[in-house]
Amino acid sequence: MSSAPARLALHAAARIRAGRTVLSPLTLGLRGGEVLGLLGVNGAGKSTALMLMAGVLAPTAGRVELDGVDLSESPRRARDHIGYLPEQAPLWPELSVREQLDAHGRLRGLRGTALSAARDALLERLDLAPLRWRLCGLLSLGQRQRVGLACALLHGPGLLVLDEPGNGLDPLQAERLRALLRAHAADGAAIVISTHLLAEVETQCTRVAILHEGALRHDEPLHMRADAWSVTVQPGGSERARAVLAPLAQAIAIEEDARLRVRLRAGADVAAIAPALLAAGVALHGLEPAAHTLAQTFARIAGGAEARAT
Amino acid sequence: MSAVPALLRVELRRLLLRPWPWVLAAAVLGWLGWNLLLALGAFLKAQAHLATLPAAPGYTDIVAVPLLAQFAEIALLLTPILSMQTLAGERRAGTLPLLLAQGLPAAAIVLGKYLAQLLWLWLLLALVLLLPLLLAPATHLDYGKLAAATLGLALLLAALLAVGVAASAFTRQPVLAAALALAVTLALWAGAAQGRAPQLSAPLLRWLSLPTHLQPMLRGLVATQDLAYFGILIALALGLAIQRLARERALD
């Protein structure tokens, strides 16, 4: 974990509408270079959370900070440093693609050559150059999505908030989008992506957060998921197994009488578990990754099991 | 407020690219052009009679100003149609969050959109004004009276548009916004008739009504209280729209 300050920080940011809690107090930090995948079933509060992050909505309670500055107190920071793409990119249908980008650029404060250079670069990069004179009202879903993305990227924002950015994109365009987002993150931007496609999260994101019923139920870096293992030993052997595996483990929890959840120390090899147990005379009945797949975790939370447990 | 000119430019461009404002403008100009011909015919026919009167009304009173008064009545219907998309349409199309995401203050969004539509309406007013002015070389025009009537009409358009923008801020259905704006406008227009009733509220109703403040200007009389009335009405309506939009970001 880097000690760099968070680019985006939500401090117990909540949203209440007509007496109903749409989003429970949400505390979350995101540093530059991180890509957060935001998951949740329909109505989980994802879009509200994204709109809070993008500065479209102000939190009813708590605060949202961008580089340490409260967005409610300085909404202009949203204009200068946030790129937001809502679901189904909303575009003005009367304008051509080029006019659309120019209009967004001007509203973001870009002028003259800075605007035209940024616009032309994005038209090329997102394969929109052949469409530059086409009216936005005549574009296909995928084309609209690319124009929306270009509008969000035009001013080189330090925070990108994207709601289903892959909507309507063909596989080639989706790959291009991934490459673009990777490059943007490598340049130090923080990115939040809301999607229903778990594979997209696994390929693009460094972290995953799951919202359920308006509350954050899960927030974990993706790369930490495979260092935990579920070890099943002979009945009644869990205490002895714990003692044997202690030198290899960062943390051990006994989940059931004969099953332990073992998080390995850095550098420890999973292949050492079985010989250690066998040498101590503990019968090993099973060894598998303890961390659920993202799909399993999501299903568990969305199904309500984790919600009930917490 | 530096965003107002940028938004004004975008909105003007969008307005000029849409076909229906031009269709509306063509219909208005066609109708008023036809009425100009009818009024001109009546004016020419009455020349012999008018010549016998000591202070006979001229071309300005019989043709030009009534034409502008007719445009004022058309504007009652025209402005709700024009303004209904202002915020309700953006909300419905999902483009309003884009504007809010750019950190634009509610006042900048409302003013940018309002000014763009107002410029378009004033452009239409200029075209309408050209109709009676076309005959200026061939007749005697009272330019002072025409200027006062034009000012009255420009203010009326600004006030009606502000009411329309306010109505549009309170709903996501453009048709509903148009109906609401029309209802408010008609209530303000009919206030003068109700104001004639011998009731305690009659003076207030009369003061609130649009014709009370428009008629003097159509007669060539510009009074500070009439200018103030239009100013208050515009500020009130735009203030409501701004407040509603700011509330949308904070609470809805």
Side-chain angles (χ1 to χ4, degrees), chain A residues 11-263:
Chain A
H11 300 280
R15 185 79 182 172
I16 297 166
R17 186 180 182 187
R20 189 176 74 86
T21 302
V22 181
L23 187 68
S24 298
L26 174 62
T27 297
L28 194 75
L30 193 65
R31 284 183 295 276
E34 277 193 299
V35 183
L36 175 72
L38 191 61
L39 296 173
V41 294
N42 292 332
K46 296 192 302 292
S47 292
T48 303
L50 290 180
M51 284 195 275
L52 288 181
M53 292 174 189
V56 176
L57 297 176
T60 318
R63 62 186 197 281
V64 179
E65 289 179 352
L66 186 67
D67 294 325
V69 178
D70 193 331
L71 271 184
S72 300
E73 289 167 11
S74 180
R76 195 176 167 150
R77 290 191 75 80
R79 190 191 85 163
D80 295 342
H81 301 290
I82 300 176
Y84 174 50
L85 173 66
E87 196 178 356
Q88 295 182 356
L91 304 172
W92 292 306
E94 310 89 350
L95 302 185
S96 68
V97 169
R98 186 189 148 117
E99 286 173 327
Q100 191 84 219
L101 290 175
D102 283 349
H104 277 85
R106 282 196 201 94
L107 288 172
R108 298 278 189 186
L110 293 177
R111 299 284 185 275
T113 50
L115 172 58
S116 52
R119 179 200 62 211
D120 292 343
L122 278 168
L123 284 173
E124 289 299 330
R125 199 157 183 192
L126 288 166
D127 204 15
L128 288 167
L131 303 173
R132 68 176 67 208
W133 298 116
R134 188 170 297 179
L135 292 181
C136 289
L138 302 176
L139 297 177
S140 70
L141 177 63
Q143 291 166 340
R144 289 176 62 86
Q145 203 67 7
R146 280 184 286 151
V147 176
L149 194 65
C151 292
L153 288 167
L154 197 60
H155 56 303
L159 171 66
L160 258 181
V161 181
L162 310 174
D163 199 349
E164 301 282 355
N167 260 357
L169 299 186
D170 63 40
L172 283 178
Q173 290 165 352
E175 184 47 44
R176 235 175 252 167
L177 170 69
R178 280 194 284 271
L180 186 70
L181 295 182
R182 270 196 298 271
H184 212 62
D187 285 345
I191 302 176
V192 184
I193 300 173
S194 167
T195 176
H196 287 110
L197 302 175
L198 302 184
E200 281 292 308
V201 173
E202 287 177 323
T203 54
Q204 288 192 70
C205 301
T206 57
R207 259 172 73 189
V208 60
I210 301 177
L211 283 173
H212 188 63
E213 293 175 344
L216 183 67
R217 303 291 190 193
H218 181 93
D219 178 15
E220 189 177 86
L222 272 173
H223 64 80
M224 283 181 66
R225 300 182 58 75
D227 62 356
W229 296 85
S230 180
V231 179
T232 308
V233 295
Q234 65 200 51
S238 53
E239 284 297 341
R240 188 167 164 74
R242 173 148 74 174
V244 171
L245 295 177
L248 297 170
Q250 184 183 4
I252 301 179
I254 297 175
E255 293 188 321
E256 287 172 21
D257 175 43
R259 201 167 75 207
L260 305 92
R261 183 186 167 99
V262 180
R263 185 177 289 273

Side-chain angles (χ1 to χ4, degrees), chain A residues 15-17 54-58 60 75-76 78-79 84 86 90-95 99 103-104 106-108 111, chain B residues 2-3 6-7 9-11 13-14 17-18 90 93-95 97-104 248-252:
Chain A
R15 185 79 182 172
I16 297 166
R17 186 180 182 187
V56 176
L57 297 176
T60 318
R76 195 176 167 150
R79 190 191 85 163
Y84 174 50
L91 304 172
W92 292 306
E94 310 89 350
L95 302 185
E99 286 173 327
H104 277 85
R106 282 196 201 94
L107 288 172
R108 298 278 189 186
R111 299 284 185 275
Chain B
S2 60
L7 190 57
R9 186 170 167 171
V10 174
E11 288 301 313
R13 179 82 183 135
R14 292 179 63 203
L17 287 171
R18 281 182 209 153
E90 295 276 3
T95 42
L98 272 187
L99 294 174
L100 295 174
Q102 300 189 16
L104 300 179
E248 187 158 331
R249 178 182 270 153
L251 294 176
D252 275 7

Side-chain angles (χ1 to χ4, degrees), chain B residues 50-58 61:
Chain B
L50 290 173
T52 63
L53 299 175
D61 300 300

Side-chain angles (χ1 to χ4, degrees), chain B residues 205-229:
Chain B
L205 285 175
R206 200 162 36 245
W207 188 84
L208 281 175
S209 81
L210 284 162
T212 302
H213 304 278
L214 178 65
Q215 290 302 335
M217 286 197 251
L218 290 179
R219 290 196 301 270
L221 185 67
V222 179
T224 313
Q225 61 172 3
D226 296 329
L227 298 179
Y229 168 82

Side-chain angles (χ1 to χ4, degrees), chain B residues 27 67 70 83 88 104 114 122 125 134 139 141 143 160 164 224 237 239:
Chain B
L67 194 75
Q70 211 169 25
S83 62
L104 300 179
Y114 172 76
W122 282 354
L125 173 61
L134 283 174
T139 184
L141 251 177
Y143 286 103
L160 294 180
T224 313

